Amino acid sequence: SVAMLIQYWRPESPPDHAAIYNQLIDAQHKGIRLADMKSYLEAQGFRAFTLRATTKDLEQHLSKARPLIVSIRPGPRSRAHF
């Protein structure tokens, strides 16, 4: 999702998806931490924010053409997925 966001905003210089994944993956936690995604995007010059959002919040950001990376947890015992 991080690579896709960068690719959307910088189509002239497509990111290396594998390199981003390898930099962000946390093997101990078997995934990518939200804080690491945020830090990576900020290091690339993006303004990045984390928040718990309602559907109304999401609609508001989308109406302003702001790209979102959303974490979804399908069940109480499931791991979150971006």
Side-chain angles (χ1 to χ4, degrees):
S1 54
V2 170
M4 290 188 299
L5 186 140
I6 294 170
Q7 186 172 344
Y8 176 82
W9 289 106
R10 296 182 183 156
E12 69 286 349
S13 56
D16 181 339
H17 293 246
I20 293 171
Y21 176 82
N22 288 331
Q23 185 172 340
L24 293 177
I25 189 69
D26 181 339
Q28 180 181 357
H29 292 100
K30 299 179 183 174
I32 296 174
R33 295 176 345 117
L34 177 61
D36 294 337
M37 274 201 264
K38 181 179 184 288
S39 295
Y40 184 88
L41 287 166
E42 289 172 336
Q44 299 300 310
F46 290 93
R47 291 176 52 210
F49 305 91
T50 61
L51 61 123
R52 288 188 182 268
T54 64
T55 302
K56 184 177 179 180
D57 295 327
L58 298 175
E59 290 170 347
Q60 195 172 45
H61 285 284
L62 290 171
S63 74
K64 295 177 182 177
R66 294 179 178 150
L68 305 174
I69 297 175
V70 178
S71 173
I72 300 171
R73 185 180 306 258
R77 294 186 177 185
S78 303
R79 295 180 58 83
H81 181 73
F82 296 99

